[in-house]
Amino acid sequence: MKRFILILLAMLIHGGVAAPAHAQPNKGELKARFKAREADLRDLKQKGRVGETLDGYVEAVDAKAPADEKTATLLADENKDRRLLYQILADEINKEHPDAKVKATVETIGARNALRNIEHAEKDEFIRVAKDHWIRVKDYPRFEKLSKLKAQGKVGETAAGTAEVVEAADRGDKTLAGVVEEENAGRTAEYKALAEKEHVEVSVIVKRMAKRNFENARIGDMLKGEDGTWRKK
């Protein structure tokens, strides 16, 4: 027996027997971790340094800002635990509904949680709606309206950094025109504020934002080039 124990210890030391894996945290443990970070995360959100994303995670709003080790660690830990929670929830749903044609995934749970976070966020906090595209929570309803109109092909993006009604026949639609007018008023204010912050001409910001909007457009969205011609992405 003694010889067996010595052999087993030797195997453990030299890697012959795998050490037991660390157990993944359960929902209760994850909830405690989230609670411990809640105040710091809320403070960063209120200061506009951190925001929520539509896939259910948190990121620094200004990716080019000087790295803050404490914030970077906080975000990394938060996102890691969120992903673990999403996996637990997805597994639970799939276990409860084994015959469902569409299985729950980390991605679908994350997207669902993102909407919940938006509902509970303060109006001036940030949401990332696309790559390098952050908006305030208070502007999210407007973003949703515009996205639906884009999907219908009624509104598109222009090289001037604005949204525009595509078909001349639709320009008399007051509801449609109102959404576009409100969107462009918001963009104008945003572009001006960014230009003042970066000490550049507004035209520099407009060009950069137009490029971003074209790149983030979905397949099928309408884009109006500098020559005034509309095309589908």
Side-chain angles (χ1 to χ4, degrees), residues 93-122:
I93 292 171
N94 292 332
K95 186 176 180 180
E96 291 174 7
H97 305 281
D99 298 325
K101 293 182 179 180
V102 179
K103 299 296 183 182
T105 65
V106 168
E107 290 72 27
T108 57
I109 299 299
R112 186 179 71 182
N113 192 64
L115 296 178
R116 175 181 171 279
N117 291 337
I118 291 171
E119 289 176 359
H120 291 85
E122 295 182 11

Side-chain angles (χ1 to χ4, degrees), residues 154-183:
K154 293 185 176 182
V155 173
E157 292 289 341
T158 75
T162 58
E164 189 175 308
V165 178
V166 177
E167 298 290 343
D170 289 329
R171 289 170 193 161
D173 185 325
K174 292 183 179 181
T175 301
L176 189 59
V179 173
V180 171
E181 184 178 345
E182 184 183 10
E183 175 65 19

Side-chain angles (χ1 to χ4, degrees), residues 79-90:
N79 287 333
K80 180 182 178 181
D81 285 348
R82 286 193 185 192
R83 187 171 183 83
L84 288 172
L85 178 61
Y86 299 160
Q87 185 64 69
I88 291 172
L89 295 175

Side-chain angles (χ1 to χ4, degrees), residues 134-147:
W134 293 88
I135 64 173
R136 303 276 185 179
V137 168
K138 64 184 177 184
D139 295 324
Y140 187 67
R142 191 181 80 215
F143 171 81
E144 286 190 300
K145 289 179 186 177
L146 194 70
S147 295

